[in-house]
Amino acid sequence: LKEGLLEKYINLVSGWKPRYFVLRLGVLEYYKETRAPPGFVPSGEIIERNGKTYVFRGRINLRAASVQNDDDKPALVIDVGHDVFHILADSTSQRDQWVAAITANREYFNALVDDMRKRGPKASGSPSPAAAYDEDDGLREATLARSTLIENLGRSAEIMEAARPKIMAAKSEPEARAAFLSTVKEVFRDESPVAAPAAAEWKKYFAALQNHVAITHHILMEEQNYWMLRNRADAFAAAGLEEQSVRHSMDR
């Protein structure tokens, strides 16, 4: 969606360090350049850009983030509740472009998630599994998102299973196509009549499927990120270190 080289504030000792940022659906990832010797493959997720190798250092969940300009420099501030990220651009123009892109990305992603929750089963009177957790450390949102995803995938699986006999029994390509399209419309709750779709229709359903996959990937990655941070926090606690240092312990 958008990517480029910016600077990220680490701490008072390290100051600002260059990081390669990649804006994806619902998240902002950042990578650190690695100068590994030839033949050596660094551990972790890596990307190649402009002949340079960058290794993954962190991911910022934009779901509930607030994004603001820094008044003193061409920087943006992302507040996610349990952490605050300061990111420096080369100019106010570049900063404003990133703020606009991140804000639009967050609003679009939130609309997709809200729509996914509306398509899911109606909530019962029982409390959400996330209600058992009081800490504002990301687990509540991760648990709620996972529950919503499970409900929606379950509903989609039921619809597709029910449609399978009709699609498999189709005698012609038009009949199979119509049955398939009808199933897709039901999965995404499109009430328009089933008809031979124009190119715009196919693009709409492709975009819906792409968003569905992207949201699934986002939710699973956020849950993985949460447990990674929790495990690191436990390790730091066992070593007698402050838990506050866990958040940026990877980014050195």
Side-chain angles (χ1 to χ4, degrees):
L1 296 175
K2 185 176 179 60
E3 60 182 73
L5 193 63
L6 301 168
E7 292 190 6
K8 178 179 178 292
Y9 183 76
I10 308 301
N11 52 40
L12 288 173
V13 176
S14 300
W16 298 89
K17 297 294 182 182
R19 296 289 182 267
Y20 196 88
F21 285 82
V22 179
L23 180 61
R24 305 186 192 277
L25 186 61
V27 295
L28 179 63
E29 299 177 344
Y30 51 94
Y31 298 76
K32 178 181 179 181
E33 182 181 356
T34 178
R35 295 181 176 83
F40 176 80
V41 179
S43 60
E45 181 183 348
I46 62 173
I47 59 174
E48 300 285 344
R49 296 293 188 275
N50 301 319
K52 297 181 179 179
T53 301
Y54 297 89
V55 63
F56 176 81
R57 303 308 289 172
R59 178 180 291 107
I60 304 173
N61 186 352
L62 301 176
R63 170 78 172 142
S66 67
V67 186
Q68 299 178 348
N69 293 338
D70 190 313
D71 296 332
D72 298 327
K73 54 179 70 70
L76 55 127
V77 181
I78 303 178
D79 188 343
V80 296
H82 58 77
D83 208 347
V84 179
F85 300 85
H86 298 263
I87 302 170
L88 182 65
D90 289 335
S91 64
T92 55
S93 175
Q94 185 189 44
R95 186 268 315 275
D96 293 344
Q97 291 175 14
W98 273 96
V99 170
I102 291 172
T103 301
N105 180 292
R106 181 195 61 204
E107 293 176 354
Y108 179 67
F109 176 74
N110 285 345
L112 291 177
V113 173
D114 291 341
D115 181 65
M116 181 180 72
R117 289 176 176 171
K118 290 177 183 177
R119 291 199 307 269
K122 298 297 183 181
S124 63
S126 58
S128 163
Y133 301 94
D134 297 326
E135 297 181 51
D136 182 22
D137 58 1
L139 181 57
R140 182 183 297 275
E141 177 64 27
T143 304
L144 178 59
R146 181 182 62 178
S147 299
T148 302
L149 175 63
I150 291 173
E151 290 175 351
N152 276 275
L153 289 178
R155 186 183 69 84
S156 298
E158 291 177 358
I159 293 173
M160 297 176 75
E161 185 63 27
R164 178 182 173 84
K166 184 176 181 179
I167 295 176
M168 293 297 113
K171 303 296 185 181
S172 65
E173 181 181 347
E175 185 182 353
R177 186 187 304 117
F180 172 76
L181 181 60
S182 177
T183 303
V184 171
K185 284 175 174 284
E186 187 175 359
V187 167
F188 294 108
R189 293 281 174 88
D190 189 335
E191 303 301 332
S192 58
V194 177
E201 280 279 285
W202 287 116
K203 291 177 182 178
K204 180 178 70 173
Y205 290 121
F206 174 79
L209 179 60
Q210 182 183 33
N211 289 334
H212 189 70
V213 172
I215 291 175
T216 302
H217 178 261
H218 170 91
I219 292 173
L220 294 177
M221 290 301 295
E222 279 307 305
E223 185 169 349
Q224 175 179 299
N225 188 54
Y226 167 79
W227 288 113
M228 179 188 69
L229 287 175
R230 175 54 65 90
N231 289 337
R232 293 184 69 86
D234 291 343
F236 270 60
L241 300 175
E242 292 291 333
E243 185 171 353
Q244 182 179 5
S245 61
V246 176
R247 299 288 179 186
H248 298 295
S249 61
M250 292 176 59
D251 196 16
R252 292 288 183 257

